[in-house]
Amino acid sequence: MPGVSLTIDVGALYESHGDWLRKWLQRHTRCGHRAADLAQDTFCRVLETPGSAPLREPRSYLSALARRILIDDIRHREVERAYLAAHAAGSPNADALTPERIAEAAQLLDAIVKLLEALPDNVRRAFMMIRFDGLRYADAAAVLGVSDRMVKRYVAQAYAHCYAIAYSD
Amino acid sequence: MTMERPDPAMPDPAMSDPAIIERAALWAAQLATDEATQADHDACEAWCREDPRHRLAMDRMRGFDRQFGRTDGLEREVIETLLEQRSQDTRSGKARRFGGLALGLVVLAAGGWLAAQSLTVRAFFPEYATQRGEQQTVTLTDGSRLTLDTDAALDFRRSDDSRTVSLFQGQVLARVAREKGALNAPHPFIVQTGDGTATAHGTAFVVRRDEHATTVTVIESAVRVCLAPPAAGRCADLLPGDRARMANGRLTRLGRVDPDVAAAWSEGWLAADDEPVTQVLDELNRYRARPVSFDRSALADYRVSGSFPLSDTDRALEGIVRSTGLALSSADDGALVVGRTK
């Protein structure tokens, strides 16, 4: 079974490079706990990425992966901060905000932002108006100063882009 | 069982055909506002029926919609703010804010960054999902059929060496299609959760993902279950009626069950074979919009046997109450309460 040989590889990888990776991450985060978490995430990612069993230079492979995960983590924190800031400004009722609620919202928002952030401005604005603000095509067209048909094409473009990001492997 | 089935030797096809994605994206745009007519919806449905790949692409588009629809007004503002910020950052080259890391991002973006991203992103946009109280049977592109139980979410991928269902939550019955056309080694059919995997060596099995554990029950043939990392490598082989639980890196065999009882939910029945009534009520509550309440310790000694309809959970509740000699009443707020007769 192909899955089995992969898991053994990752086990061995963890044995021989786990400590090194944690130290590498600690240098970049200056926080032991966070480094340990991110190292864990890195090995999970190795397992999740099919056919990625690292080959000749495991350390450069791992550090490249860890670098992406670190960037991801920084961006995720940014989302969390933005969510908390909006909440603080919008509603004085802090009781509704549990750690679970924050984590869940931040994950959802992070995922959505990842899908949409690389879109060209007009496409993104059209999509937000139609999909999130509930505008009709004619209204969005008036705001953007283009035809209805053009807005519809923008929205389709946004959907295709989401698809490409989510199902690119 | 007969069903239209694509050539099983074909690789997971929906992604590789840009024409299908483009068409599905156009449909999604067409149906995105309340201006869409019934005729539009019917036309889209007709297109989906033409080819399972059309259906898959469309299901994925709807998966995005479901998640976009989950956001409230405040969250939308946050999304808008973040997107504005980031698009400005990109324009002014302010990505440098990530220090020495920014260059790495740019370089990696050229090679495979998206592929590494896609799994984490995808968990939030399941292709198939059911509401509370809803069940749904879908035919996958390989011809296998999945029955999703109440409040479930999953994803299906087909790669060169396997067929994988990622179960994010809830319960699923998999009826695996045999790959008749495959002359080479068949593609194993795997259901994976955060706790571990279940690999089919035959046809039918149930995987259930609760908050802290995954339970696998074999209905027909055999299944191999394996723990997820870091305990990876620990596996067990299960036969019909066998059950195993995977949680926190531990794999435990549970008592055997009647396979028919274990799959009864997929036929719309809640089946109990001399089970504690509290357990059956917990199970029923998974399907109810308004859960019924009960005093766990007061009902601890009551047991129940029988089959109760999931399509009408009020009627199921009456049936459970009747067969146990318990009583059903309404609380002040209108919620139903099961208790002992006075």
Side-chain angles (χ1 to χ4, degrees):
Chain A
M1 210 167 54
V4 170
S5 61
L6 182 61
T7 49
I8 290 167
D9 284 345
V10 175
L13 197 68
Y14 189 82
E15 284 286 305
S16 29
H17 306 293
D19 280 337
W20 172 84
L21 183 65
R22 265 189 298 282
K23 286 197 189 104
W24 187 92
L25 278 159
Q26 192 158 358
R27 274 206 306 282
H28 287 79
T29 57
R30 298 186 196 89
C31 169
H33 287 299
R34 205 169 146 207
D37 283 351
L38 293 171
Q40 190 76 16
D41 288 353
T42 307
F43 283 104
C44 288
R45 196 70 70 88
V46 174
L47 279 159
E48 285 170 356
T49 313
S52 67
L55 313 159
R56 293 200 193 94
E57 297 186 44
R59 290 197 172 179
S60 77
Y61 174 88
L62 283 174
S63 60
L65 204 55
R67 196 181 287 269
R68 292 182 220 175
I69 285 166
L70 185 54
I71 293 172
D72 227 22
D73 187 59
I74 292 168
R75 292 154 64 96
H76 187 78
R77 281 156 189 255
E78 209 173 77
V79 174
E80 227 167 53
R81 269 199 303 278
Y83 179 72
L84 286 173
H87 228 281
S91 83
N93 181 12
D95 293 349
L97 220 50
T98 63
E100 293 80 20
R101 179 85 196 92
I102 297 168
E104 198 187 323
Q107 280 187 321
L108 177 63
L109 296 183
D110 198 12
I112 292 177
V113 167
K114 265 179 200 148
L115 285 188
L116 302 180
E117 66 183 336
L119 289 172
D121 274 358
N122 258 5
V123 174
R124 194 186 71 242
R125 290 182 64 205
F127 191 72
M128 293 297 292
M129 278 190 268
I130 297 295
R131 204 45 266 185
F132 288 86
D133 302 333
L135 262 62
R136 293 182 154 207
Y137 276 110
D139 303 326
V143 176
L144 293 173
V146 297
S147 69
D148 293 18
R149 281 176 51 122
M150 196 60 191
V151 180
K152 209 171 268 185
R153 278 192 47 188
Y154 283 156
V155 172
Q157 197 182 328
Y159 273 110
H161 169 87
C162 289
Y163 194 109
I165 296 222
Y167 302 101
S168 61
D169 51 8
Chain B
M1 211 177 311
T2 59
M3 60 203 125
E4 84 264 51
R5 172 186 297 194
D7 171 16
M10 196 165 54
D12 190 13
M15 184 58 220
S16 55
D17 192 339
I20 292 178
I21 298 166
E22 197 180 312
R23 190 72 201 108
L26 282 167
W27 279 121
Q30 181 68 29
L31 303 179
T33 71
D34 59 7
E35 295 156 280
T37 62
Q38 189 56 47
D40 291 332
H41 286 280
D42 293 346
C44 176
E45 177 55 29
W47 181 74
C48 288
R49 246 182 251 134
E50 278 171 21
D51 185 329
R53 294 175 303 166
H54 295 180
R55 168 94 53 203
L56 176 63
M58 208 57 223
D59 283 339
R60 288 175 171 176
M61 295 300 177
R62 292 204 178 97
F64 296 129
D65 279 340
R66 246 192 320 274
Q67 291 300 68
F68 295 146
R70 265 180 56 194
T71 54
D72 61 25
L74 183 88
E75 290 169 342
R76 286 169 204 187
E77 260 173 56
V78 177
I79 293 172
E80 236 157 311
T81 313
L82 283 165
L83 287 173
E84 283 295 323
Q85 254 175 33
R86 289 192 185 172
S87 90
Q88 274 163 23
D89 289 352
T90 324
R91 268 198 297 273
S92 61
K94 229 168 80 186
R96 238 174 267 120
R97 183 151 59 96
F98 294 131
L101 292 174
L103 189 63
L105 177 64
V106 174
V107 174
L108 288 162
W113 163 245
L114 288 183
Q117 281 281 66
S118 59
L119 248 153
T120 42
V121 171
R122 219 159 53 215
F124 295 95
F125 305 97
E127 279 157 31
Y128 305 106
T130 48
Q131 306 282 325
R132 186 168 270 263
E134 187 195 357
Q135 293 187 340
Q136 197 192 343
T137 298
V138 296
T139 304
L140 302 174
T141 47
D142 73 331
S144 296
R145 283 158 64 91
L146 298 177
T147 303
L148 284 75
D149 199 9
T150 175
D151 200 14
L154 57 82
D155 222 11
F156 177 64
R157 320 240 72 208
R158 205 168 166 195
S159 67
D160 290 341
D161 50 18
S162 69
R163 301 171 279 169
T164 305
V165 171
S166 300
L167 178 64
F168 305 118
Q169 64 174 48
Q171 171 162 252
V172 64
L173 166 68
R175 291 198 178 276
V176 181
R178 241 166 252 155
E179 297 184 293
K180 291 202 188 98
L183 291 173
N184 309 326
H187 299 98
F189 189 98
I190 303 166
V191 177
Q192 65 171 24
T193 70
D195 297 310
T197 58
T199 305
H201 291 299
T203 46
F205 61 109
V206 174
V207 182
R208 172 165 173 165
R209 166 87 161 136
D210 294 310
E211 210 175 327
H212 302 296
T214 297
T215 315
V216 179
T217 310
V218 180
I219 310 299
E220 277 170 28
S221 203
V223 170
R224 162 166 284 204
V225 290
C226 293
L227 286 171
R234 225 165 304 154
C235 296
D237 290 314
L238 308 179
L239 294 170
D242 283 346
R243 270 192 310 163
R245 182 175 190 272
M246 296 184 277
N248 303 321
R250 295 170 65 106
L251 176 61
T252 323
R253 277 176 183 273
L254 304 176
R256 290 175 51 82
V257 290
D258 178 348
D260 288 337
V261 172
W265 62 265
S266 67
E267 311 282 332
W269 296 97
L270 176 58
D273 182 11
D274 190 32
E275 280 168 35
V277 75
T278 50
Q279 190 180 316
V280 176
L281 289 173
D282 280 336
E283 193 60 21
L284 186 68
N285 273 343
R286 294 177 59 233
Y287 298 85
R288 289 178 60 88
R290 295 195 67 184
V292 58
S293 55
F294 53 93
D295 179 346
R296 216 163 271 282
S297 57
L299 302 190
D301 295 334
Y302 287 81
R303 303 184 78 84
V304 61
S305 294
S307 291
F308 309 98
L310 289 171
S311 54
D312 183 347
T313 56
D314 281 343
R315 207 159 61 108
L317 188 56
E318 282 163 24
I320 292 167
V321 167
R322 205 175 321 117
S323 65
T324 48
L326 292 165
L328 191 60
S329 58
S330 298
D332 295 339
D333 61 357
L336 290 174
V337 184
V338 175
R340 289 197 286 210
T341 45
K342 308 232 165 73

